[in-house]
Amino acid sequence: MEVEKKNRAGLVIGIAAAVVVVIVAAVAVFFAGRALGSKPELRLQAATAKMALEMAQYGSSLSEQIDFDAIDELRRMGTMHTNTDVSITVTDGETTNMEFNVDALVNQSKKSMNCEIKIGMYGFQMPFADVAATQDTLYISLPQFLKDTYRVGLTNFGEKFNNSEWAELFDTTLPEDYSIELFQENENEEASDEFFSIFHKSAAVIEENTTHENIRNVESGRSGVRVTVAKEAVNQYMEALEEDIFASDFYELYMDSLMERASDASESAQTKEYVDGFIKAATAMRLKTDYVLDFYFDQKGRIVNISSPADMETEDGAFIAVNISFLGEERALDVIEGGIYAKNGEKITYLGIERDAGVTDTYYNEDMTLLIQTDDHDRDMKFAYANDFNKEDMSYDMEISIDIPDGKLCFTADGEFTDIVKGEEYTFCLNNSSLSLDDEEVCYLSAVIELEPTDEEPEIPEDYVDLLDMSMQDIQKMVYEALGSIRKFNYE
């Protein structure tokens, strides 16, 4: 048990070190571009601009041909039609196939939707449910089992449920103020924008206490810029960052969404405690020495290495070192090697990245691995992602794997994007994919998702039975009706 605590402590320190290094580096480099008075700042600004241009090349083909931003705008302003077909085959002892289809109309601006759901096996599908919704009401119909459509009011859902026969039937209650609000996309987008602005909210202290100087490494013959941020400024910034995160609308919405999934108040409290603890741990590191990173450039003015000239020490006695190289020829970012080291006592944790990528007019491929390693390798973790994308036929072939001490999970998939009308519609095809655990296949699936704008409007039922107003007798009749329909299916 003690070993497990030490391992966890080392991992937390490693993650916290990565958080400090990445955030402070990003903030310091961001403000370097605004300090136009000296050559080192200008050199670093130009180098980071080239890095951003390289990064943009990797994802430009798919976004240019489909224009997801324009489609998102259509989604916000009018009705979008999506038709999703999914087939899943489970290979656990016996091969079992399951299929479902969801044909949906969603109007985000009017906060309404309806969809038809079909389920089946081995190519045969039957209607299962019709679902409609407004911002505060959900309508459900099961035409094969029940003749009525049932409505559930989502405003003050907890209070209504507790006063209904269902609370007694299931012997449970919900918080009185529990409610569900659909169609919160705009609020979530605003909260996401706020999330990124949080990191610059208290960044003035970094700007005011950052210095830049030209450097040259005699052994390698490389030159670059050294960025130094006073330790007091880093510590003050990390303290403010924690406060800003907890005070943000983003965090409130994020926690609300997590806690809504909890089965009871106890689980909800545990979830909040865990997330709060993670944020506090990630922002708790305080430096004992100044924050110093060297950015080395090649003859083209590109960043080819980011490293710490000496270990940075924290107030609790841990040490942090950084060494990341960008080794690609055509684009420096094509090949990345290195990572962040954190040492606490005799325990060393390494957070590393390995990337090999390429992009031309006809293809884009990437092979990337993220590593978390300890010196004794007892809790090593590896996340690997590989993808080959053909720009001509818009096809892809990808593999994602997660390797942890408890086992290895691997997902493979291939498919393509078809029927593309830029800025309006497309079809996403998942032709063959499989999920395996410890090299044994668990299931494989295929899917087709069609998306297009439409002039149709979602239909909201006018005749319904309010589910939470039902008496116990009404509930019993509903159950008997459903059982009768099931028996009828069995006979047929």
Side-chain angles (χ1 to χ4, degrees), residues 135-164:
Q135 184 175 7
D136 56 4
T137 309
L138 188 66
Y139 303 85
I140 302 174
S141 173
L142 303 172
Q144 299 295 328
F145 305 97
L146 300 168
K147 66 180 186 301
D148 290 323
T149 295
Y150 293 88
R151 186 189 77 163
V152 181
L154 304 179
T155 303
N156 300 325
F157 179 79
E159 179 183 356
K160 293 178 181 178
F161 177 84
N162 294 340
N163 293 325
S164 73

mmCIF file of all heavy atoms in Angstrom, residues 135-164:
data_model
loop_
_atom_site.group_PDB
_atom_site.id
_atom_site.type_symbol
_atom_site.label_atom_id
_atom_site.label_comp_id
_atom_site.label_asym_id
_atom_site.label_seq_id
_atom_site.Cartn_x
_atom_site.Cartn_y
_atom_site.Cartn_z
ATOM 1 N N GLN A 135 -36.428 22.536 -24.748
ATOM 2 C CA GLN A 135 -35.405 22.878 -23.765
ATOM 3 C C GLN A 135 -35.676 22.271 -22.395
ATOM 4 O O GLN A 135 -34.751 21.890 -21.679
ATOM 5 C CB GLN A 135 -35.288 24.399 -23.633
ATOM 6 C CG GLN A 135 -34.179 24.840 -22.687
ATOM 7 C CD GLN A 135 -34.011 26.343 -22.664
ATOM 8 O OE1 GLN A 135 -34.793 27.065 -23.256
ATOM 9 N NE2 GLN A 135 -32.992 26.822 -21.981
ATOM 10 N N ASP A 136 -36.959 22.157 -22.018
ATOM 11 C CA ASP A 136 -37.273 21.712 -20.663
ATOM 12 C C ASP A 136 -38.210 20.509 -20.606
ATOM 13 O O ASP A 136 -38.734 20.177 -19.547
ATOM 14 C CB ASP A 136 -37.896 22.862 -19.865
ATOM 15 C CG ASP A 136 -39.128 23.433 -20.555
ATOM 16 O OD1 ASP A 136 -39.532 22.891 -21.609
ATOM 17 O OD2 ASP A 136 -39.684 24.418 -20.048
ATOM 18 N N THR A 137 -38.432 19.842 -21.750
ATOM 19 C CA THR A 137 -39.379 18.732 -21.766
ATOM 20 C C THR A 137 -38.875 17.625 -22.684
ATOM 21 O O THR A 137 -38.335 17.899 -23.765
ATOM 22 C CB THR A 137 -40.769 19.187 -22.256
ATOM 23 O OG1 THR A 137 -41.171 20.339 -21.511
ATOM 24 C CG2 THR A 137 -41.795 18.086 -22.056
ATOM 25 N N LEU A 138 -39.077 16.391 -22.251
ATOM 26 C CA LEU A 138 -38.689 15.221 -23.027
ATOM 27 C C LEU A 138 -39.926 14.377 -23.312
ATOM 28 O O LEU A 138 -40.747 14.149 -22.420
ATOM 29 C CB LEU A 138 -37.659 14.400 -22.244
ATOM 30 C CG LEU A 138 -36.992 13.231 -22.960
ATOM 31 C CD1 LEU A 138 -36.119 13.734 -24.107
ATOM 32 C CD2 LEU A 138 -36.155 12.418 -21.968
ATOM 33 N N TYR A 139 -40.056 13.921 -24.563
ATOM 34 C CA TYR A 139 -41.184 13.085 -24.972
ATOM 35 C C TYR A 139 -40.643 11.745 -25.476
ATOM 36 O O TYR A 139 -39.718 11.721 -26.298
ATOM 37 C CB TYR A 139 -41.976 13.750 -26.100
ATOM 38 C CG TYR A 139 -42.505 15.119 -25.770
ATOM 39 C CD1 TYR A 139 -41.702 16.254 -25.930
ATOM 40 C CD2 TYR A 139 -43.805 15.300 -25.313
ATOM 41 C CE1 TYR A 139 -42.174 17.513 -25.627
ATOM 42 C CE2 TYR A 139 -44.301 16.566 -25.017
ATOM 43 C CZ TYR A 139 -43.476 17.671 -25.179
ATOM 44 O OH TYR A 139 -43.950 18.924 -24.886
ATOM 45 N N ILE A 140 -41.231 10.654 -25.009
ATOM 46 C CA ILE A 140 -40.766 9.325 -25.389
ATOM 47 C C ILE A 140 -41.952 8.470 -25.801
ATOM 48 O O ILE A 140 -42.967 8.404 -25.091
ATOM 49 C CB ILE A 140 -40.018 8.632 -24.224
ATOM 50 C CG1 ILE A 140 -38.833 9.486 -23.772
ATOM 51 C CG2 ILE A 140 -39.539 7.250 -24.640
ATOM 52 C CD1 ILE A 140 -38.135 8.953 -22.542
ATOM 53 N N SER A 141 -41.788 7.806 -26.942
ATOM 54 C CA SER A 141 -42.815 6.882 -27.430
ATOM 55 C C SER A 141 -42.153 5.563 -27.787
ATOM 56 O O SER A 141 -41.095 5.552 -28.436
ATOM 57 C CB SER A 141 -43.521 7.464 -28.662
ATOM 58 O OG SER A 141 -44.397 6.509 -29.238
ATOM 59 N N LEU A 142 -42.752 4.461 -27.351
ATOM 60 C CA LEU A 142 -42.289 3.114 -27.686
ATOM 61 C C LEU A 142 -43.416 2.421 -28.453
ATOM 62 O O LEU A 142 -44.201 1.659 -27.876
ATOM 63 C CB LEU A 142 -41.929 2.333 -26.418
ATOM 64 C CG LEU A 142 -40.872 2.980 -25.512
ATOM 65 C CD1 LEU A 142 -40.747 2.207 -24.200
ATOM 66 C CD2 LEU A 142 -39.522 3.037 -26.225
ATOM 67 N N PRO A 143 -43.547 2.682 -29.744
ATOM 68 C CA PRO A 143 -44.724 2.255 -30.497
ATOM 69 C C PRO A 143 -44.940 0.749 -30.555
ATOM 70 O O PRO A 143 -46.078 0.290 -30.715
ATOM 71 C CB PRO A 143 -44.472 2.833 -31.897
ATOM 72 C CG PRO A 143 -43.006 3.055 -31.970
ATOM 73 C CD PRO A 143 -42.579 3.410 -30.598
ATOM 74 N N GLN A 144 -43.894 -0.021 -30.418
ATOM 75 C CA GLN A 144 -44.057 -1.479 -30.461
ATOM 76 C C GLN A 144 -44.558 -2.045 -29.137
ATOM 77 O O GLN A 144 -44.993 -3.199 -29.081
ATOM 78 C CB GLN A 144 -42.716 -2.137 -30.817
ATOM 79 C CG GLN A 144 -42.156 -1.737 -32.168
ATOM 80 C CD GLN A 144 -43.028 -2.211 -33.319
ATOM 81 O OE1 GLN A 144 -43.673 -3.260 -33.232
ATOM 82 N NE2 GLN A 144 -43.070 -1.437 -34.393
ATOM 83 N N PHE A 145 -44.514 -1.242 -28.079
ATOM 84 C CA PHE A 145 -44.847 -1.760 -26.753
ATOM 85 C C PHE A 145 -45.980 -1.001 -26.078
ATOM 86 O O PHE A 145 -46.759 -1.579 -25.321
ATOM 87 C CB PHE A 145 -43.595 -1.718 -25.854
ATOM 88 C CG PHE A 145 -42.420 -2.419 -26.433
ATOM 89 C CD1 PHE A 145 -41.434 -1.716 -27.113
ATOM 90 C CD2 PHE A 145 -42.291 -3.787 -26.320
ATOM 91 C CE1 PHE A 145 -40.340 -2.363 -27.656
ATOM 92 C CE2 PHE A 145 -41.203 -4.457 -26.850
ATOM 93 C CZ PHE A 145 -40.222 -3.746 -27.533
ATOM 94 N N LEU A 146 -46.062 0.334 -26.318
ATOM 95 C CA LEU A 146 -47.045 1.166 -25.633
ATOM 96 C C LEU A 146 -47.732 2.082 -26.640
ATOM 97 O O LEU A 146 -47.076 2.624 -27.547
ATOM 98 C CB LEU A 146 -46.365 2.009 -24.546
ATOM 99 C CG LEU A 146 -45.648 1.239 -23.429
ATOM 100 C CD1 LEU A 146 -44.793 2.188 -22.608
ATOM 101 C CD2 LEU A 146 -46.649 0.516 -22.540
ATOM 102 N N LYS A 147 -49.032 2.272 -26.472
ATOM 103 C CA LYS A 147 -49.791 3.086 -27.426
ATOM 104 C C LYS A 147 -49.620 4.582 -27.177
ATOM 105 O O LYS A 147 -49.777 5.390 -28.084
ATOM 106 C CB LYS A 147 -51.275 2.715 -27.383
ATOM 107 C CG LYS A 147 -51.989 3.042 -26.080
ATOM 108 C CD LYS A 147 -53.449 2.649 -26.144
ATOM 109 C CE LYS A 147 -54.230 3.104 -24.904
ATOM 110 N NZ LYS A 147 -53.697 2.554 -23.656
ATOM 111 N N ASP A 148 -49.327 4.976 -25.940
ATOM 112 C CA ASP A 148 -49.246 6.398 -25.589
ATOM 113 C C ASP A 148 -47.826 6.930 -25.725
ATOM 114 O O ASP A 148 -46.837 6.196 -25.635
ATOM 115 C CB ASP A 148 -49.717 6.621 -24.149
ATOM 116 C CG ASP A 148 -51.212 6.399 -23.993
ATOM 117 O OD1 ASP A 148 -51.954 6.757 -24.927
ATOM 118 O OD2 ASP A 148 -51.634 5.863 -22.945
ATOM 119 N N THR A 149 -47.756 8.253 -25.892
ATOM 120 C CA THR A 149 -46.495 8.982 -25.797
ATOM 121 C C THR A 149 -46.405 9.578 -24.400
ATOM 122 O O THR A 149 -47.391 10.108 -23.876
ATOM 123 C CB THR A 149 -46.430 10.104 -26.847
ATOM 124 O OG1 THR A 149 -46.431 9.523 -28.149
ATOM 125 C CG2 THR A 149 -45.178 10.960 -26.673
ATOM 126 N N TYR A 150 -45.221 9.497 -23.793
ATOM 127 C CA TYR A 150 -45.064 9.959 -22.403
ATOM 128 C C TYR A 150 -44.158 11.180 -22.355
ATOM 129 O O TYR A 150 -43.136 11.253 -23.043
ATOM 130 C CB TYR A 150 -44.497 8.826 -21.538
ATOM 131 C CG TYR A 150 -45.474 7.689 -21.402
ATOM 132 C CD1 TYR A 150 -45.500 6.654 -22.346
ATOM 133 C CD2 TYR A 150 -46.397 7.664 -20.371
ATOM 134 C CE1 TYR A 150 -46.423 5.625 -22.242
ATOM 135 C CE2 TYR A 150 -47.321 6.626 -20.254
ATOM 136 C CZ TYR A 150 -47.335 5.618 -21.194
ATOM 137 O OH TYR A 150 -48.250 4.600 -21.094
ATOM 138 N N ARG A 151 -44.565 12.129 -21.545
ATOM 139 C CA ARG A 151 -43.834 13.377 -21.399
ATOM 140 C C ARG A 151 -43.214 13.455 -20.005
ATOM 141 O O ARG A 151 -43.827 13.052 -19.009
ATOM 142 C CB ARG A 151 -44.760 14.577 -21.603
ATOM 143 C CG ARG A 151 -44.017 15.912 -21.611
ATOM 144 C CD ARG A 151 -44.974 17.090 -21.593
ATOM 145 N NE ARG A 151 -45.536 17.303 -20.259
ATOM 146 C CZ ARG A 151 -46.126 18.423 -19.870
ATOM 147 N NH1 ARG A 151 -46.249 19.425 -20.710
ATOM 148 N NH2 ARG A 151 -46.618 18.541 -18.649
ATOM 149 N N VAL A 152 -41.983 14.014 -19.952
ATOM 150 C CA VAL A 152 -41.303 14.244 -18.673
ATOM 151 C C VAL A 152 -40.844 15.694 -18.638
ATOM 152 O O VAL A 152 -40.053 16.127 -19.488
ATOM 153 C CB VAL A 152 -40.089 13.310 -18.486
ATOM 154 C CG1 VAL A 152 -39.422 13.580 -17.134
ATOM 155 C CG2 VAL A 152 -40.507 11.859 -18.595
ATOM 156 N N GLY A 153 -41.325 16.471 -17.683
ATOM 157 C CA GLY A 153 -40.867 17.837 -17.503
ATOM 158 C C GLY A 153 -39.514 17.840 -16.802
ATOM 159 O O GLY A 153 -39.344 17.183 -15.770
ATOM 160 N N LEU A 154 -38.553 18.567 -17.337
ATOM 161 C CA LEU A 154 -37.190 18.537 -16.799
ATOM 162 C C LEU A 154 -36.906 19.677 -15.832
ATOM 163 O O LEU A 154 -35.950 19.617 -15.069
ATOM 164 C CB LEU A 154 -36.193 18.577 -17.961
ATOM 165 C CG LEU A 154 -36.369 17.466 -19.008
ATOM 166 C CD1 LEU A 154 -35.350 17.629 -20.114
ATOM 167 C CD2 LEU A 154 -36.263 16.101 -18.367
ATOM 168 N N THR A 155 -37.745 20.718 -15.853
ATOM 169 C CA THR A 155 -37.590 21.792 -14.879
ATOM 170 C C THR A 155 -38.109 21.313 -13.526
ATOM 171 O O THR A 155 -39.182 20.729 -13.443
ATOM 172 C CB THR A 155 -38.364 23.039 -15.330
ATOM 173 O OG1 THR A 155 -37.894 23.438 -16.621
ATOM 174 C CG2 THR A 155 -38.148 24.182 -14.346
ATOM 175 N N ASN A 156 -37.342 21.551 -12.465
ATOM 176 C CA ASN A 156 -37.709 21.071 -11.123
ATOM 177 C C ASN A 156 -37.976 19.566 -11.131
ATOM 178 O O ASN A 156 -38.886 19.063 -10.477
ATOM 179 C CB ASN A 156 -38.955 21.800 -10.599
ATOM 180 C CG ASN A 156 -38.741 23.295 -10.501
ATOM 181 O OD1 ASN A 156 -37.638 23.747 -10.176
ATOM 182 N ND2 ASN A 156 -39.782 24.057 -10.778
ATOM 183 N N PHE A 157 -37.137 18.849 -11.874
ATOM 184 C CA PHE A 157 -37.347 17.414 -12.026
ATOM 185 C C PHE A 157 -37.246 16.692 -10.683
ATOM 186 O O PHE A 157 -38.022 15.780 -10.390
ATOM 187 C CB PHE A 157 -36.322 16.841 -13.006
ATOM 188 C CG PHE A 157 -36.442 15.363 -13.222
ATOM 189 C CD1 PHE A 157 -37.416 14.851 -14.055
ATOM 190 C CD2 PHE A 157 -35.585 14.479 -12.570
ATOM 191 C CE1 PHE A 157 -37.532 13.483 -14.260
ATOM 192 C CE2 PHE A 157 -35.691 13.120 -12.758
ATOM 193 C CZ PHE A 157 -36.667 12.620 -13.612
ATOM 194 N N GLY A 158 -36.278 17.097 -9.858
ATOM 195 C CA GLY A 158 -36.106 16.432 -8.567
ATOM 196 C C GLY A 158 -37.342 16.532 -7.691
ATOM 197 O O GLY A 158 -37.806 15.547 -7.124
ATOM 198 N N GLU A 159 -37.892 17.748 -7.585
ATOM 199 C CA GLU A 159 -39.091 17.960 -6.764
ATOM 200 C C GLU A 159 -40.267 17.161 -7.306
ATOM 201 O O GLU A 159 -41.008 16.514 -6.539
ATOM 202 C CB GLU A 159 -39.420 19.449 -6.734
ATOM 203 C CG GLU A 159 -40.660 19.794 -5.923
ATOM 204 C CD GLU A 159 -40.994 21.270 -5.978
ATOM 205 O OE1 GLU A 159 -40.214 22.042 -6.579
ATOM 206 O OE2 GLU A 159 -42.061 21.657 -5.430
ATOM 207 N N LYS A 160 -40.463 17.192 -8.643
ATOM 208 C CA LYS A 160 -41.590 16.474 -9.240
ATOM 209 C C LYS A 160 -41.445 14.966 -9.078
ATOM 210 O O LYS A 160 -42.417 14.252 -8.810
ATOM 211 C CB LYS A 160 -41.695 16.832 -10.730
ATOM 212 C CG LYS A 160 -42.095 18.285 -10.972
ATOM 213 C CD LYS A 160 -42.128 18.598 -12.457
ATOM 214 C CE LYS A 160 -42.502 20.051 -12.704
ATOM 215 N NZ LYS A 160 -42.482 20.373 -14.170
ATOM 216 N N PHE A 161 -40.226 14.479 -9.245
ATOM 217 C CA PHE A 161 -40.010 13.036 -9.091
ATOM 218 C C PHE A 161 -40.281 12.593 -7.660
ATOM 219 O O PHE A 161 -40.920 11.565 -7.417
ATOM 220 C CB PHE A 161 -38.575 12.677 -9.496
ATOM 221 C CG PHE A 161 -38.238 11.218 -9.309
ATOM 222 C CD1 PHE A 161 -38.557 10.297 -10.287
ATOM 223 C CD2 PHE A 161 -37.617 10.772 -8.140
ATOM 224 C CE1 PHE A 161 -38.262 8.949 -10.125
ATOM 225 C CE2 PHE A 161 -37.316 9.436 -7.965
ATOM 226 C CZ PHE A 161 -37.640 8.522 -8.958
ATOM 227 N N ASN A 162 -39.790 13.368 -6.699
ATOM 228 C CA ASN A 162 -39.967 12.995 -5.288
ATOM 229 C C ASN A 162 -41.439 12.972 -4.880
ATOM 230 O O ASN A 162 -41.827 12.236 -3.971
ATOM 231 C CB ASN A 162 -39.193 13.957 -4.392
ATOM 232 C CG ASN A 162 -37.693 13.842 -4.583
ATOM 233 O OD1 ASN A 162 -37.196 12.835 -5.085
ATOM 234 N ND2 ASN A 162 -36.962 14.882 -4.209
ATOM 235 N N ASN A 163 -42.256 13.787 -5.549
ATOM 236 C CA ASN A 163 -43.686 13.836 -5.236
ATOM 237 C C ASN A 163 -44.513 12.877 -6.100
ATOM 238 O O ASN A 163 -45.745 12.867 -6.010
ATOM 239 C CB ASN A 163 -44.219 15.264 -5.424
ATOM 240 C CG ASN A 163 -43.639 16.229 -4.401
ATOM 241 O OD1 ASN A 163 -43.398 15.853 -3.256
ATOM 242 N ND2 ASN A 163 -43.405 17.466 -4.815
ATOM 243 N N SER A 164 -43.840 12.087 -6.924
ATOM 244 C CA SER A 164 -44.542 11.166 -7.807
ATOM 245 C C SER A 164 -44.556 9.754 -7.228
ATOM 246 O O SER A 164 -43.837 9.445 -6.271
ATOM 247 C CB SER A 164 -43.874 11.139 -9.181
ATOM 248 O OG SER A 164 -42.634 10.445 -9.116
#
